[in-house]
Amino acid sequence: TSFDIINIIAPAGRLGLIIDSPLGGGSAHVTDIKEHCLIKNEIHLLDKVVAIDDEDVSTRDSIEITKLLASKIRQEERKITVWREKAARDGSLPANKSSPSPFTEENTIRTSFDIINIIAPAGRLGLIIDSPLGGGSAHVTDIKEHCLIKNEIHLLDKVVAIDDEDVSTRDSIEITKLLASKIRQEERKITVWREKAARDGSLPANKSSPSPFTEENTIRTSFDIIN
């Protein structure tokens, strides 16, 4: 896909950002960057705010996110995770109100997430996807023995896109219906957000034993995981 996951380290103080929620639903995103913005060289217009200090806010509205950021105004550092269209980083979308700036290395470190795309064949997938009671992205809670992608999908994978359509704010019922509507497609691309610990083996991968990625069915996306 054409997205980057970026983590920005913001200092204490008022950020100088305006964050709005789309009328049609979806992740809250940056709509204005003030001249005095503390992270104006790192944040971009249209960045989707998906986590604050590693807390998933991808399904929260702009008011809740703004309140959460304000509650942390005196923290020495705040980590703001954004989902950015790669076109914005490459220069074809506006980066900020002046000119796009390169990443500041002292403000960027690696996150502990991978974005994985899995190519699923036609047919019933054999997956159970649930939504957390407290909110957040829907995730895989059961992998059946007959699952078509049991060697690629992991328990706890967060489902964030289907065929490049953003579903990060949809509940498990909507995602399951969308997948079912594509059951006869020759291929379906399922994008998941996976904690790196799961890939490294400290979290369960599937109901039998963790399997390595099958190269023909698993494609590394063009995401950079940057902090």
Side-chain angles (χ1 to χ4, degrees):
T1 64
S2 56
F3 288 92
D4 288 328
I5 296 290
I6 310 290
N7 278 338
I8 300 169
I9 305 302
R14 295 186 180 279
L15 285 177
L17 289 177
I18 302 296
I19 300 170
D20 285 320
S21 297
L23 291 176
S27 299
H29 57 275
V30 177
T31 56
D32 195 13
I33 301 168
K34 303 297 185 184
E35 185 58 37
H36 61 277
C37 176
L38 298 173
I39 51 173
K40 66 181 180 181
N41 290 332
E42 291 79 37
I43 200 81
H44 286 199
L45 290 174
L46 306 184
D47 280 354
K48 293 184 176 183
V49 183
V50 295
I52 306 295
D53 289 335
D54 295 324
E55 180 180 347
D56 182 2
V57 298
S58 60
T59 60
R60 300 192 193 181
D61 64 25
S62 56
I63 296 173
E64 292 177 293
I65 293 174
T66 300
K67 285 180 178 178
L68 180 60
L69 285 168
S71 73
K72 297 171 178 280
I73 195 170
R74 292 184 175 85
Q75 276 187 199
E76 186 176 346
E77 289 184 346
R78 290 160 289 178
K79 184 166 72 171
I80 302 170
T81 305
V82 300
W83 196 354
R84 177 177 300 162
E85 288 190 42
K86 190 172 281 291
R89 192 176 177 193
D90 294 343
S92 59
L93 288 176
N96 52 36
K97 296 189 74 175
S98 53
S99 58
S101 300
F103 292 102
T104 306
E105 285 301 322
E106 60 268 22
N107 280 352
T108 61
I109 53 176
R110 292 249 166 210
T111 72
S112 56
F113 288 93
D114 285 328
I115 298 291
I116 309 291
N117 277 339
I118 299 170
I119 305 303
R124 294 186 181 279
L125 285 176
L127 288 178
I128 302 296
I129 300 170
D130 286 319
S131 297
L133 291 176
S137 298
H139 58 275
V140 177
T141 55
D142 195 14
I143 302 169
K144 304 297 184 183
E145 186 57 37
H146 61 277
C147 176
L148 297 173
I149 51 173
K150 66 181 180 181
N151 290 332
E152 292 78 40
I153 200 80
H154 286 200
L155 290 175
L156 305 184
D157 280 354
K158 293 184 176 184
V159 182
V160 296
I162 306 295
D163 289 336
D164 295 326
E165 180 179 347
D166 182 2
V167 298
S168 59
T169 60
R170 299 191 193 181
D171 64 26
S172 56
I173 296 173
E174 292 178 293
I175 293 173
T176 301
K177 286 181 177 178
L178 180 60
L179 284 168
S181 73
K182 297 170 178 280
I183 195 170
R184 292 184 175 86
Q185 277 188 199
E186 185 176 348
E187 289 185 344
R188 290 160 289 177
K189 184 166 71 171
I190 302 170
T191 305
V192 299
W193 192 357
R194 178 176 301 162
E195 288 192 43
K196 195 173 285 290
R199 191 176 178 194
D200 294 343
S202 57
L203 288 176
N206 53 35
K207 294 193 73 175
S208 53
S209 58
S211 301
F213 293 104
T214 305
E215 288 300 326
E216 63 267 26
N217 279 351
T218 308
I219 304 173
R220 264 327 228 138
T221 69
S222 55
F223 288 74
D224 293 327
I225 308 291
I226 302 176
N227 227 342

